[in-house]
Amino acid sequence: MKITENTDESIVKMIRDGLKETGGYCPCRRERTPETKCMCKEFRDQIKDPDFEGFCHCMLYYKSKE
């Protein structure tokens, strides 16, 4: 398994700017809870799934199975 940042620099910049504005909470979510703090609970759970491969909700991180 490998976690990498999105290779699209414009998406990474947009999400990183949003994270700064929200104090580290996913800028794609309305809720500001421990579950939406980056790296969000949804993606942490997806990381645990050996069959999951893909982006987190905001597309900042990518999990590959390799």
Side-chain angles (χ1 to χ4, degrees):
M1 173 198 60
K2 185 176 180 180
I3 307 294
T4 56
E5 272 193 353
N6 192 326
T7 56
D8 185 327
E9 293 179 18
S10 64
I11 289 176
V12 171
K13 181 181 178 346
M14 180 178 58
I15 299 301
R16 292 253 178 241
D17 290 346
L19 287 168
K20 287 177 189 173
E21 290 177 22
T22 63
Y25 293 95
C26 181
C28 305
R29 308 265 185 191
R30 291 178 170 241
E31 308 86 22
R32 301 290 183 252
T33 65
E35 288 80 20
T36 62
K37 189 84 165 184
C38 189
M39 189 175 281
C40 69
K41 181 180 182 325
E42 177 184 7
F43 192 57
R44 291 190 314 264
D45 290 345
Q46 290 171 328
I47 289 170
K48 293 175 189 175
D49 178 356
D51 294 323
F52 175 80
E53 182 167 2
F55 284 102
C56 66
H57 182 262
C58 66
M59 296 191 63
L60 178 61
Y61 296 110
Y62 186 84
K63 179 201 170 197
S64 56
K65 292 193 245 180
E66 30 178 271

